[in-house]
Amino acid sequence: MGTNPKMLPFFSSFFLFLLVSSSHHSFALQNEEEEEGIINRRDFPKDFFFGTATSAYQIEGAYLEDGKGLSNWDVFSHLPGRIRNNDTGDVADDHYHRFLEDIELMHSMGMNSYRFSISWTRILPKGRFGKVNRRGIAFYNKIIDNLLLKGIEPFVTIHHHDLPAELDKRYGSWMSAEMQEDFVYFAKICFEEFGDRVKYWITINEPNVITLMGYTKGVYPPGHCSPPFGNCSIGNADIEPLIVMHNMLLAHAKAVRLYRTHFQKKQGGSIGIVAYGHMYEPLTDHEYDIKAAERAFIFIFAWVYDPIVYGDYPKEMQEILGSQLPSFSDIEKNIIRGSLDFVCVNHYTTFYTKDCLHSPCSDGGDHAITGYLNTTAYRDGVSIGDPTGIDVFFVVPRGLGKVINYIKERYPNKPIFVTENGYSMPQAEGNNVEDLIKDTKRVNYHKDYLASLAKAMRDGADVRGYFVWSLIDNFEWADGYDTRFGLLYVDRKTLERRPKLSAHWFSSFLGGNLHELTKYSSIVDKNAFDSLMDD
Ligand SMILES: *[C@@H]1O[C@H](CO)[C@@H](O)[C@H](O)[C@H]1NC(C)=O
Ligand SMILES: *[C@@H]1O[C@H](CO)[C@@H](O)[C@H](O)[C@H]1NC(C)=O
Ligand SMILES: *[C@@H]1O[C@H](CO)[C@@H](O)[C@H](O)[C@H]1NC(C)=O
């Protein structure tokens, strides 16, 4: 695709708006007023999916139990100094033993769906170079059966960051085209074993985060990077992310082809992939920054979705990256084009974007791989929204509606799922249990983002579901357990779950019965609860 003409109305109205608004301050206020408002379950269709999301390594624990093999994350988290506080996922939330309680809690919140992932090494401890572990299959059968008993629709992610360490050792996992074969082998077992009951499949979670964190910055396994993005003993941030993405896209496409050929008709499910998609606004009203904001979305989101929808990388990437960008053969283009039934986006924040094609930049803005741009949360020293527990994430509700509208325009006629959206509290704002449980800011985050989503839907976007990241405080990758996204608080010593105010808010919003579980309801201050429920 060339410069997408459909983007022009959006950017030109944004441009006009900047011209008429007297200051950035009034700009922010106006947007807030527009989004603030009463949000109601009735703003969404009856059959809309409301759920929470998790991933295997982040919650399961039991890392050596019942025949499970070692994953890349098991190995990486045990390297000293890689994870904040040297935390690991060895025990995590012990969901492996407490899944019944967790399913009960999501049910009592009124959730009708649940997005979780399958630990590759529970099913295949050594990838395709070893046996299938039946006890791993039995575990996910129990999860799926108990969800269905409670009327909760399973959305299953096949690969969510954790992969057999064996495949890293043998051929460097995603750096090698061999990985495509391993992924399809794993996916086939999932379709065979679970596909009679699982109707929503997601092949890979956030390939664009795996590339960024694993191969550009080196803070996730395999810890590859190069300056200026990071200082690693191994890696090439200008090349490796492109190779890794290429292998993941082809692995996805081949798994989808397999599903469609051998399973879809009989099982009646659908399949897609998840990419992270933040929103990008120009730092200034200069046309170069407006173009840079468009380029940011292309280099981060369309990098994943243009091949899957249209069969090739975006034209802007081909022009800027030249021969560094791997190419698809004609046969591959035919396999990858149209390899999706729906679009899934994980959305948290919005960035300002500054052009680096026409003005000097450092910090990576001077590298082709970034699309020659720089992103920042600050304009004239003022942040784009309230801070969160992730340094670069800020609360910008309008971004969700905008990203949905962008997806609707660029990839028309595809149902959309928001497969992750959530809030973590800044560390500085308290670390005692009471503060963490009275999570008023999380409630407001979801109210405001849901209002923005509802507006995009009123304007015609075909959105089918919304998943909160996350059901439960968990092992937040390189941040360990300090960054908490859960609706459920977890006592790290006893592993006891306690619903936060936000869990109660969702229960009330969705017509659940969390308050009736007296064991849990006494935790939340009644006045704080009532005042939130008033509107
Ligand atoms: C992590 O482990 C290393 C090696 O044992 C140690 O030097 C470091 O202080 C630990 N970090 C924390 C935050 O405990
Ligand atoms: C890499 O190391 C150099 C020299 O120690 C330092 O100046 C630079 O900030 C580091 N870069 C990153 C991204 O950590
Ligand atoms: C790029 O953005 C970062 C903040 O995200 C900022 O620290 C840095 O100075 C920026 N670089 C340039 C050249 O603007």
Side-chain angles (χ1 to χ4, degrees):
M1 297 185 63
T3 32
N4 187 345
K6 287 179 182 145
M7 281 302 294
L8 288 176
F10 160 66
F11 279 113
S12 46
S13 64
F14 182 83
F15 181 63
L16 281 177
F17 189 53
L18 282 182
L19 285 182
V20 296
S21 78
S22 55
S23 74
H24 301 317
H25 183 63
S26 70
F27 169 73
L29 274 182
Q30 194 154 336
N31 264 291
E32 261 158 42
E33 277 159 20
E34 188 188 301
E35 264 131 26
E36 220 172 80
I38 297 151
I39 184 76
N40 199 294
R41 177 64 180 86
R42 288 188 302 275
D43 295 326
F44 299 88
K46 244 196 158 114
D47 58 357
F48 194 80
F49 288 112
F50 277 102
T52 58
T54 62
S55 91
Y57 186 72
Q58 293 178 273
I59 63 167
E60 285 180 5
Y63 85 118
L64 290 176
E65 236 167 281
D66 289 341
K68 181 183 161 296
L70 284 181
S71 76
N72 58 338
W73 270 96
D74 291 320
V75 174
F76 189 78
S77 66
H78 279 256
L79 299 175
R82 293 302 184 119
I83 310 293
R84 199 190 292 165
N85 304 322
N86 291 329
D87 285 338
T88 73
D90 295 1
V91 177
D93 293 328
D94 195 31
H95 176 74
Y96 190 73
H97 300 110
R98 294 169 195 247
F99 64 91
L100 281 178
E101 180 185 0
D102 293 341
I103 291 172
E104 182 63 42
L105 283 163
M106 63 181 92
H107 174 69
S108 68
M109 280 185 245
M111 300 288 179
N112 62 3
S113 48
Y114 174 48
R115 177 178 170 234
F116 64 99
S117 81
I118 297 192
S119 158
W120 196 327
T121 51
R122 268 193 213 293
I123 307 282
L124 292 166
K126 290 184 180 297
R128 85 192 124 104
F129 305 96
K131 289 208 178 77
V132 175
N133 177 28
R134 297 303 313 178
R135 285 174 292 179
I137 296 203
F139 172 64
Y140 293 105
N141 276 334
K142 281 188 280 185
I143 301 255
I144 292 163
D145 290 344
N146 280 288
L147 288 171
L148 292 173
L149 269 177
K150 294 282 181 188
I152 298 173
E153 187 74 38
F155 281 64
V156 174
T157 311
I158 296 171
H159 174 45
H160 195 129
H161 294 4
D162 60 316
L163 53 84
E166 177 77 17
L167 306 183
D168 264 332
K169 200 174 73 191
R170 279 189 187 246
Y171 53 73
S173 64
W174 290 115
M175 279 296 291
S176 164
E178 278 209 56
M179 192 65 170
Q180 299 170 29
E181 200 180 319
D182 258 291
F183 179 73
V184 173
Y185 186 86
F186 174 37
K188 179 163 184 274
I189 292 169
C190 293
F191 302 145
E192 279 167 354
E193 297 289 341
F194 311 126
D196 56 334
R197 290 152 293 153
V198 172
K199 302 305 162 195
Y200 294 89
W201 290 104
I202 289 153
T203 53
I204 301 178
N205 179 70
E206 295 183 338
N208 49 355
V209 166
I210 297 175
T211 53
L212 178 71
M213 303 305 254
Y215 296 87
T216 303
K217 297 188 170 179
V219 293
Y220 287 7
H224 287 203
C225 72
S226 59
F229 306 100
N231 293 317
C232 302
S233 57
I234 180 169
N236 180 342
D238 292 308
I239 302 280
E240 289 187 354
L242 300 172
I243 296 169
V244 164
M245 178 64 77
H246 199 70
N247 284 322
M248 286 191 285
L249 291 173
L250 285 168
H252 156 86
K254 289 174 182 179
V256 171
R257 184 181 57 173
L258 176 84
Y259 184 64
R260 287 188 169 160
T261 320
H262 295 289
F263 299 96
Q264 193 162 35
K265 202 170 274 164
K266 189 169 53 194
Q267 298 181 342
S270 52
I271 190 163
I273 189 170
V274 166
Y276 94 93
H278 299 314
M279 193 59 217
Y280 300 91
E281 294 181 357
L283 179 62
T284 72
D285 59 7
H286 194 285
E287 107 183 69
Y288 290 157
D289 284 347
I290 293 171
K291 285 230 168 72
E294 192 180 335
R295 228 164 39 244
F297 198 86
I298 288 169
F299 270 70
I300 292 162
F301 193 80
W303 183 23
V304 179
Y305 268 104
D306 270 27
I308 286 171
V309 175
Y310 298 113
D312 209 347
Y313 292 115
K315 204 169 121 230
E316 292 84 348
M317 291 190 78
Q318 297 186 29
E319 279 166 9
I320 289 181
L321 294 164
S323 61
Q324 262 173 258
L325 187 67
S327 55
F328 297 109
S329 70
D330 286 344
I331 290 170
E332 288 171 339
K333 282 181 187 166
N334 279 328
I335 297 173
I336 195 169
R337 186 185 300 117
S339 59
L340 78 171
D341 296 320
F342 45 76
V343 175
C344 298
V345 61
N346 290 353
H347 178 88
Y348 292 87
T349 195
T350 297
F351 295 102
Y352 295 125
T353 314
K354 176 186 177 308
D355 171 69
C356 300
L357 267 178
H358 304 87
S359 56
C361 286
S362 54
D363 306 315
D366 49 355
H367 284 239
I369 187 98
T370 63
Y372 295 118
L373 55 92
N374 195 8
T375 58
T376 169
Y378 294 88
R379 176 190 276 156
D380 302 333
V382 180
S383 73
I384 193 165
D386 287 338
T388 74
I390 303 273
D391 285 357
V392 296
F393 287 6
F394 292 80
V395 181
V396 191
R398 66 177 180 273
L400 179 55
K402 283 186 178 183
V403 97
I404 294 294
N405 285 329
Y406 188 106
I407 291 169
K408 178 183 78 176
E409 302 267 299
R410 196 171 178 105
Y411 310 113
N413 308 319
K414 292 286 174 207
I416 302 167
F417 290 96
V418 178
T419 35
E420 284 180 27
N421 178 240
Y423 175 84
S424 68
M425 190 161 92
Q427 296 273 306
E429 289 181 20
N431 243 325
N432 67 65
V433 184
E434 282 303 298
D435 289 343
L436 293 168
I437 286 182
K438 283 183 201 163
D439 58 344
T440 316
K441 286 189 175 173
R442 180 175 286 106
V443 173
N444 289 332
Y445 179 98
H446 286 291
K447 278 184 180 174
D448 293 346
Y449 274 70
L450 280 170
S452 177
L453 181 65
K455 181 169 187 313
M457 292 171 68
R458 281 196 299 279
D459 294 344
D462 178 12
V463 182
R464 305 279 178 92
Y466 175 88
F467 293 82
V468 176
W469 186 271
S470 179
L471 170 67
I472 186 166
D473 290 346
N474 60 44
F475 177 82
E476 193 51 46
W477 307 118
D479 286 349
Y481 295 99
D482 274 358
T483 300
R484 296 178 172 87
F485 277 96
L487 301 182
L488 304 176
Y489 171 84
V490 176
D491 182 311
R492 291 297 334 148
K493 287 204 183 73
T494 63
L495 299 175
E496 183 195 355
R497 281 82 163 121
R498 295 171 168 198
K500 301 180 190 176
L501 195 55
S502 54
H504 285 272
W505 183 80
F506 269 102
S507 174
S508 164
F509 176 71
L510 297 173
N513 64 352
L514 185 60
H515 60 286
E516 286 164 20
L517 295 183
T518 49
K519 184 180 159 201
Y520 302 107
S521 62
S522 59
I523 312 292
V524 171
D525 177 276
K526 189 161 182 329
N527 293 332
F529 180 69
D530 289 346
S531 74
L532 271 166
M533 297 307 148
D534 278 348
D535 53 13

